[in-house]
Amino acid sequence: MKTYFFNLIQVLIPICFLVALISCEKISKADFVVNNSKKDSVAYWINQSKSNKLTIEERRGAQNNAFGAVNSKLIDSIRLNYFSEIAYDAEILNNDELFKKVNFQFLVLAEKVNNKLKIGDAHWNYGSFFSKKEKIDSAYYHFHKAYENFKIAKHDLWTARMLYNMGYIQGRIKDYTGSEISLYQAIAIFNKLNRYKNLYRCYNYLGLIYMELEEFDRAIYYHNEALNYLEKFDDNGFYKEGSLSNLGLVYQKKQDYVSAIKYFTRAINDNNLKERSMSLYARLIDNISYTQFLKGDTASVEKGLSFSFRIRDSLKDVSGVVMSKRHLSEFKASQFDTLAAFELARGAYSLADQVENNRDKLATLLLLSKVDQKNSNKYLKEYVHLNDSLQIAERKTRNKFTRIRFETDEYIEETEKLSEQNLLITLGAFFTILILSLAYFL
């Protein structure tokens, strides 16, 4: 009997495969040709949209054509892949109108087929889009939705990348505890995956957080950890110079001006920086000169600050110009050139207001209260009002983030329970059908 049962299984398995193959053959050759011609059309326009030989407008036009070529005649899995690629490329080229249309359809289709990875991918696109638009509450929401879906899909790398993105945004609204938690969770995953560049970014950002918290020794430790990871991957950007500059800023805040200048100088002398990035070069010149000013060595301070200012102005680096004007204003005030100090501070405030840089607005209001003694109270009142309103807004956003995380953790836990239950039910049903089928054949 056992031999007969075993032989029966050997007969049934090939029959099942044969039925499956016959079912697949029912797709007509005509349909196959149509699908492939559509795929080729979409692929052609996507390749055109990536061509550096075309203008930005021509590439955007190619993206629009690619989206137009993706239609219902393509099967869902292929459309999902194309929607993902077109949405990502549209966001890179700031093709906002197309991005919104494509990513909306991408998310709707991904939810329709319940593909957690693609749902997460669509939310990731939205997170990047809103982050560039400085809508950080919307960016956080979508990065968190992406994290939620990647975690359910058990895609560790993308889960960790969303944790980093969330931690970065939390740091920006001064939710330093929340940022630490997100970054430490990301580090645990990146460590398992040996993702050294991602680990560098996490440790570097932790260093920045601890500098803001004025925990300078911890900030120095984490910036050095970041530098250690730089040795484990090819640095094709400005990571090393950035980390050295960050260390210089920590020592500057710690009032160890000699060490600060040492790190700024190391960064500026590294790998022909002047030729590679004039904006970073100008920032380091400003940092060195301003640190010399704080140290009390004023011999060449004005020359360095003015040189940095001219470079930043020529590059139309608005944030850099604001910083240069602030530092020059402080220097002029120390030389009792009150009129020049006031003009520079007022110019810095006006520019910071234009670009809605609240951090620089606050710093410049304090500076104005010192250089314009007659109107000191007016500037201080404005400072207090702006600072209070920013703190209220940040508190509301932090509370919103906390609710999002709490609700999502509950959802993920419930989803995992349901997934386990569904798996048990499916296995139970499968074995029941298998036993009944075998009983019937026997």
Side-chain angles (χ1 to χ4, degrees):
M1 184 67 182
K2 286 182 180 177
T3 305
Y4 175 76
F5 180 71
F6 179 73
N7 289 337
L8 183 62
I9 292 175
Q10 285 183 311
V11 171
L12 284 174
I13 290 174
I15 289 172
C16 291
F17 279 112
L18 184 60
V19 170
L21 286 169
I22 291 169
S23 299
C24 291
E25 287 295 322
K26 288 181 181 177
I27 298 173
S28 70
K29 287 184 180 179
D31 286 339
F32 181 77
V33 170
V34 168
N35 276 339
N36 273 305
S37 66
K38 293 292 179 185
K39 284 197 293 183
D40 291 343
S41 174
V42 179
Y44 169 77
W45 288 118
I46 287 177
N47 286 334
Q48 288 290 98
S49 73
K50 297 177 189 293
S51 174
N52 292 324
K53 296 178 181 177
L54 302 178
T55 66
I56 294 296
E57 286 306 314
E58 287 172 334
R59 291 171 65 185
R60 287 175 179 168
Q63 289 176 346
N64 290 326
N65 290 336
F67 176 55
V70 180
N71 57 41
S72 57
K73 290 186 178 180
L74 289 171
I75 62 174
D76 286 345
S77 61
I78 294 174
R79 291 173 69 215
L80 277 173
N81 289 332
Y82 280 138
F83 281 151
S84 174
E85 189 168 4
I86 295 168
Y88 176 79
D89 290 343
E91 194 259 323
I92 293 295
L93 287 186
N94 298 315
N95 194 350
D96 292 354
E97 186 179 345
L98 178 65
F99 170 81
K100 291 173 185 175
K101 287 193 294 187
V102 179
N103 211 58
F104 175 76
Q105 289 199 28
F106 179 31
L107 182 56
V108 168
L109 182 57
E111 288 177 337
K112 175 188 167 186
V113 300
N114 196 30
N115 186 322
K116 295 296 183 185
L117 280 178
K118 295 300 183 184
I119 293 170
D121 192 7
H123 281 294
W124 188 354
N125 288 339
Y126 275 129
S128 299
F129 176 79
F130 286 118
S131 185
K132 283 172 71 174
K133 302 296 180 187
E134 291 294 319
K135 296 181 178 179
I136 59 173
D137 53 344
S138 296
Y140 181 88
Y141 169 79
H142 286 289
F143 282 139
H144 202 278
K145 292 294 287 184
Y147 156 77
E148 166 189 317
N149 284 279
F150 291 149
K151 188 174 181 183
I152 292 169
K154 301 189 186 306
H155 197 300
D156 288 346
L157 176 58
W158 291 356
T159 299
R161 290 184 70 175
M162 294 310 102
L163 284 166
Y164 172 80
N165 289 341
M166 288 152 52
Y168 179 82
I169 291 175
Q170 287 168 304
R172 288 188 60 186
I173 61 157
K174 300 180 182 178
D175 178 12
Y176 297 128
T177 301
S179 183
E180 281 180 274
I181 292 168
S182 297
L183 291 169
Y184 285 132
Q185 288 176 333
I187 285 169
I189 300 172
F190 288 139
N191 263 323
K192 288 191 297 182
L193 301 174
N194 294 325
R195 300 289 297 194
Y196 302 125
K197 187 179 287 188
N198 299 106
L199 285 165
Y200 164 82
R201 288 171 177 158
C202 287
Y203 283 116
N204 181 63
Y205 200 64
L206 280 170
L208 295 174
I209 286 172
Y210 288 123
M211 182 176 72
E212 291 298 321
L213 291 170
E214 298 189 352
E215 296 184 32
F216 299 127
D217 290 339
R218 294 188 76 180
I220 290 166
Y221 170 79
Y222 282 112
H223 280 309
N224 280 315
E225 278 293 290
L227 280 169
N228 289 337
Y229 279 104
L230 276 181
E231 298 174 4
K232 299 184 179 183
F233 68 90
D234 292 331
D235 178 9
N236 297 319
F238 302 98
Y239 293 127
K240 184 178 180 182
E241 294 87 348
S243 285
L244 292 171
S245 177
N246 289 337
L247 276 164
L249 289 172
V250 176
Y251 281 109
Q252 186 193 85
K253 286 200 169 191
K254 201 179 177 184
Q255 298 183 352
D256 182 351
Y257 302 126
V258 173
S259 296
I261 291 170
K262 181 185 76 174
Y263 280 105
F264 291 142
T265 305
R266 275 183 61 189
I268 208 168
N269 291 334
D270 196 62
N271 295 327
N272 300 314
L273 181 63
K274 188 176 180 180
E275 286 74 28
R276 293 165 58 225
S277 175
M278 189 59 80
S279 61
L280 181 52
Y281 177 78
R283 188 171 84 199
L284 287 164
I285 290 288
D286 181 81
N287 286 343
I288 291 169
S289 301
Y290 184 65
T291 307
Q292 287 173 332
F293 165 67
L294 294 174
K295 183 170 171 280
D297 179 10
T298 59
S300 58
V301 167
E302 186 174 10
K303 182 181 177 182
L305 292 176
S306 298
F307 179 61
S308 175
F309 168 69
R310 288 195 298 273
I311 295 173
R312 286 168 154 177
D313 192 41
S314 69
L315 295 173
K316 294 181 171 54
D317 177 4
V318 177
S319 295
V321 168
V322 170
M323 187 64 74
S324 285
K325 285 193 171 188
R326 275 174 48 198
H327 289 166
L328 277 166
S329 175
E330 286 186 52
F331 174 78
K332 291 292 185 181
S334 73
Q335 302 299 303
F336 305 106
D337 190 348
T338 308
L339 182 61
F342 172 74
E343 290 295 333
L344 286 162
R346 193 68 198 170
Y349 180 82
S350 178
L351 276 176
D353 190 42
Q354 285 177 32
V355 297
E356 298 181 350
N357 187 327
N358 290 315
R359 183 197 67 178
D360 283 332
K361 281 173 70 176
L362 286 171
T364 310
L365 283 168
L366 279 180
L367 180 58
L368 281 165
S369 72
K370 295 172 184 175
V371 299
D372 186 7
Q373 292 290 327
K374 290 182 181 179
N375 298 300
S376 181
N377 286 336
K378 182 186 80 169
Y379 296 124
L380 288 173
K381 284 180 182 178
E382 193 175 345
Y383 173 88
V384 170
H385 175 72
L386 177 59
N387 191 49
D388 287 348
S389 63
L390 288 173
Q391 286 186 359
I392 291 168
E394 286 167 355
R395 193 180 305 118
K396 285 181 179 178
T397 306
R398 285 197 296 270
N399 291 339
K400 189 188 295 185
F401 288 2
T402 302
R403 285 196 300 274
I404 290 170
R405 292 205 72 159
F406 177 72
E407 290 166 4
T408 298
D409 289 343
E410 283 190 327
Y411 171 75
I412 290 173
E413 187 178 342
E414 189 63 31
T415 302
E416 287 175 345
K417 285 180 182 176
L418 287 171
S419 297
E420 289 174 6
Q421 290 174 4
N422 289 338
L423 180 60
L424 291 172
I425 291 168
T426 303
L427 288 172
F430 172 76
F431 284 114
T432 302
I433 292 168
L434 182 63
I435 291 167
L436 290 173
S437 299
L438 289 173
Y440 172 78
F441 282 113
L442 287 170

